[in-house]
Amino acid sequence: MPVHVVADDPNKLIAVRKLIEPRFPVTSELLCGASVQRGEVTALVIRADLRTLENIHALRKIIRSLSKVRKRIFLVDATAHLHISQAYALGATRVLLGPLNQAKLFAELGDPAAGAEAAGEAQGAQVAAAVAEAALASMFSAAATGMSIDVQSARSAGSHIADSIAETGLADWLTTVRRHHEGTYQHCLLVTGIAVDFGLSLGVPKADVERLYSAAMFHDVGKAKIPLEVLDKPGKLDDRERALIETHPVAGYEVLKDNDQISPEILDAVRHHHEYLDGSGYPDGLSNGSIKDIVRILTISDIFAALIENRRYRAPMSREDAYGILRSMDGKLEKPLVAAFRNVALTR
């Protein structure tokens, strides 16, 4: 069976075909070009600009139509994390970086085990984080521009994170995310991993773990409405900037409230993850019984993540010191939950 090549430019298509043809039969198509009849193929090789929404939508359709193909190799020129993340989010089993390399490509195409081996590697923390970052990037871009949010991609990314946490543990997740990601995406990835691990440590049912990772993936989407100069400010926020940041829970709620794929409890978590039991939180000043369990877990995870994440203007706090901060928030956080969080914070 042939290798099927997809590219977004005729010159790219020709270059990749010439690379493969000395050893393998090749079929090909131009992305966003005339539709072609696709037969059975042994592998899919893609070279396209993954920053372009039209390309991404077209690739999703092609990959969906060739869903039984085990090897999906993306050739990516740029080494920026978002290019790699987007490739894995689209279903890549292998991403080859840098200039075209015939030897590397032949090795991937010629090894019958390469597809399965790469798919196995795609379950690791680094790829789970890359997939989730791509989903977050898509979500924030859609929220900022008023486009429809791909809810299923965000949930699927959360599921990847849950699988990674269950397989290799929280410590590996924290190390991977802090090493390879930054800013708001780093924070959302950390919160999701911590919330998942907290749920697993509590022994909550699978459906509740799914609710936790969905709530965590969406919880800060309102920050898409905050100017980047405030959101990414490398220093302490002034009062005006702090007030602006504190609009993000309501902004996120407004972005999601009319989406019928978002449940009321996820909406509640997005709006209320900064509320405290003593009524001192925001935006609605809720207290005690008005704050749902999922929100209480998410709030603890959110605070802990904020304390241990890498920021440009300060080093991350140790897990021990961060847990000490949580313990000092008596009256604001549920005390039994903070006690139960100890193993997550210190040993997992």
Side-chain angles (χ1 to χ4, degrees):
M1 288 189 291
V3 173
H4 190 64
V5 176
V6 179
D8 61 349
D9 176 87
N11 292 328
K12 291 180 184 178
L13 195 68
I14 292 167
V16 177
R17 282 193 65 114
K18 284 183 176 179
L19 208 66
I20 298 172
E21 281 173 338
R23 187 171 296 184
F24 300 94
V26 178
T27 59
S28 62
E29 68 180 286
L30 196 61
L31 201 60
C32 302
S35 61
V36 299
Q37 188 70 33
R38 306 181 191 100
E40 291 190 6
V41 298
T42 186
L44 185 61
V45 177
I46 295 169
R47 192 179 184 205
D49 185 347
L50 301 182
R51 297 169 297 181
T52 305
L53 285 176
E54 291 82 357
N55 286 355
I56 291 169
H57 292 318
L59 283 170
R60 280 182 179 148
K61 290 181 181 178
I62 292 171
I63 292 169
R64 198 177 298 122
S65 74
L66 296 171
S67 60
K68 293 182 179 180
V69 178
R70 293 181 65 193
K71 294 183 183 180
R72 298 177 296 278
I73 302 166
F74 279 65
L75 310 178
V76 176
D77 295 328
T79 57
H81 286 300
L82 281 180
H83 292 267
I84 304 168
S85 301
Q86 187 62 69
Y88 280 119
L90 286 166
T93 57
R94 180 72 76 185
V95 176
L96 298 182
L97 302 175
L100 294 178
N101 185 308
Q102 189 179 57
K104 286 183 179 180
L105 188 52
F106 280 176
E108 294 299 330
L109 292 171
D111 180 3
E117 182 181 325
E121 290 173 3
Q123 303 308 307
Q126 188 166 345
V127 173
V131 169
E133 183 177 341
L136 288 166
S138 171
M139 181 199 308
F140 274 66
S141 175
T145 57
M147 294 178 65
S148 177
I149 287 176
D150 188 344
V151 173
Q152 188 52 47
S153 287
R155 285 188 178 139
S156 177
S159 179
H160 275 288
I161 294 173
D163 290 343
S164 177
I165 297 290
E167 183 177 349
T168 61
L170 180 63
D172 184 55
W173 178 254
L174 298 181
T175 299
T176 297
V177 171
R178 290 188 291 189
R179 180 180 297 154
H180 296 289
H181 304 270
E182 61 181 17
T184 300
Y185 297 159
Q186 177 194 166
H187 176 71
C188 291
L189 294 173
L190 291 175
V191 173
T192 304
I194 292 164
V196 163
D197 196 59
F198 196 4
L200 293 174
S201 75
L202 292 170
V204 304
K206 182 179 178 181
D208 287 337
V209 173
E210 292 172 355
R211 291 184 187 98
L212 281 171
Y213 66 61
S214 295
M217 285 292 291
F218 289 113
H219 84 285
D220 266 352
V221 66
K223 287 183 178 176
K225 301 291 190 179
I226 307 297
L228 284 176
E229 60 268 21
V230 175
L231 196 60
D232 293 337
K233 182 180 178 180
K236 190 174 180 180
L237 300 174
D238 61 31
D239 290 344
R240 182 193 65 83
E241 292 164 339
R242 171 55 59 189
L244 191 57
I245 286 287
E246 290 183 0
T247 65
H248 81 268
V250 172
Y253 175 86
E254 292 295 326
V255 165
L256 298 172
K257 69 177 184 179
D258 294 325
N259 192 315
D260 59 11
Q261 296 181 72
I262 303 292
S263 68
E265 66 181 343
I266 300 303
L267 279 176
D268 181 60
V270 169
R271 185 178 180 104
H272 294 132
H273 64 278
H274 285 289
E275 302 284 4
Y276 292 139
L277 298 181
D278 63 3
S280 65
Y282 63 90
D284 297 320
L286 300 186
S287 62
N288 294 316
S290 299
I291 302 175
K292 305 291 195 308
D293 288 345
I294 190 174
V295 179
R296 298 179 188 212
I297 292 173
L298 183 61
T299 298
I300 290 171
S301 303
D302 185 40
I303 295 168
F304 188 74
L307 294 170
I308 66 169
E309 68 192 43
N310 289 322
R311 297 197 179 185
R312 295 176 186 175
Y313 58 91
R314 67 158 172 82
M317 189 178 289
S318 71
R319 292 172 70 171
E320 292 78 7
D321 288 345
Y323 183 63
I325 296 290
L326 290 176
R327 291 188 63 197
S328 73
M329 297 178 69
D330 194 22
K332 295 182 180 295
L333 306 175
E334 184 177 332
K335 197 168 185 178
L337 272 181
V338 173
F341 188 70
R342 184 180 188 279
N343 284 342
V344 177
L346 303 181
T347 65
R348 290 171 71 88

